[in-house]
Amino acid sequence: MGRTKDAIAEGLSIATAAARLTVRNRILVETIARGGHFDGEIFAEFARETLRALAAEQDQAADRVTQQRKRAWGRFSDSSGTHDYRDRDTRNLRRRARQSRGVAKELRDFADDPVRVDGLVAAARAAAWGDVEQNLSKRLDVEGMTADADPDYATMRRARMDALRMVDLARLASQAKKRAKEQAAAAPVEGAEAPLLKKKSPSA
């Protein structure tokens, strides 16, 4: 059982890291990109939903492995591929299903523990702030960089000018042509209305 427990602990660690990343991304979107406020309870509920969704994925994996084990039972011929299991693989498949069930149970226990969920949200919030701080620091470094302080200034300036010519100016030219075509197409319609108005005016 030690081997199974170790595998469950490892699986839980990986799933928890994935949940923390998901919550971190949600915090960045809601509080930074959309200008919202950080509400710990809202993000805690999102964290619980995320953990339970990961648990459901583990259950689905266990079901899939169980079906593979049943199909492999009593088959002793040579395997034709990685997932073409045989009777000799049934023990390992049973262990994998048990591990997935164990990870699913641990994730649901995690989701039902307010203290652990709050800890997950706090860690995700710290990671989100770390990303923002790092991005701000990089931006300040770039904005504050002078030509004398940046040894690659000349090279990067050339690259920026090339990008301007090839991308930005080309885009502006395309937009100008599009507007010209739209104006040209609209002009006859506007001119066609005048004769109609002149014909109607005498009878009025």
Side-chain angles (χ1 to χ4, degrees):
M1 290 300 292
R3 184 176 177 182
T4 298
K5 286 184 178 180
D6 290 343
I8 291 174
E10 182 179 359
L12 178 62
S13 177
I14 294 172
T16 301
R20 184 167 56 250
L21 178 62
T22 302
V23 176
R24 184 210 66 173
N25 292 342
R26 184 63 171 263
I27 291 173
L28 286 172
V29 170
E30 296 297 331
T31 62
I32 305 299
R34 297 179 181 173
H37 298 285
F38 181 85
D39 188 325
E41 184 51 42
I42 291 177
F43 289 112
E45 180 57 31
F46 177 74
R48 285 189 285 269
E49 293 174 358
T50 301
L51 290 166
R52 288 169 183 149
L54 290 170
E57 290 179 5
Q58 290 295 318
D59 279 334
Q60 292 170 4
D63 292 340
R64 185 167 55 253
V65 171
T66 298
Q67 291 300 319
Q68 291 171 338
R69 179 175 61 83
K70 290 180 179 179
R71 289 195 297 269
W73 186 266
R75 300 178 66 186
F76 299 98
S77 59
D78 292 336
S79 175
S80 61
T82 304
H83 299 290
D84 185 25
Y85 298 108
R86 294 295 183 264
D87 190 88
R88 61 180 175 274
D89 300 313
T90 55
R91 183 177 180 180
N92 183 48
L93 291 171
R94 184 183 293 109
R95 181 169 55 251
R96 286 171 52 188
R98 187 163 55 244
Q99 291 168 357
S100 294
R101 298 290 185 197
V103 174
K105 180 182 181 302
E106 291 294 333
L107 287 170
R108 291 192 176 92
D109 290 345
F110 195 142
D112 293 337
D113 188 337
V115 175
R116 295 174 72 187
V117 170
D118 288 344
L120 175 64
V121 173
R125 184 184 186 184
W129 172 246
D131 286 348
V132 173
E133 187 178 26
Q134 185 177 15
N135 288 334
L136 284 174
S137 178
K138 287 182 179 179
R139 174 168 293 185
L140 289 173
D141 288 342
V142 172
E143 294 295 335
M145 183 69 72
T146 63
D148 294 337
D150 185 1
D152 298 325
Y153 177 81
T155 302
M156 294 307 298
R157 183 179 186 279
R158 191 180 305 112
R160 287 192 295 269
M161 293 304 296
D162 289 341
L164 175 64
R165 285 192 296 270
M166 290 186 295
V167 180
D168 295 338
L169 293 181
R171 185 184 298 115
L172 288 173
S174 176
Q175 292 174 353
K177 288 181 181 178
K178 182 178 180 182
R179 282 195 299 269
K181 288 182 179 179
E182 291 174 350
Q183 291 174 358
V189 176
E190 294 175 356
E193 293 177 355
L196 293 176
L197 291 174
K198 291 180 180 179
K199 288 180 181 179
K200 290 181 180 179
S201 55
S203 61

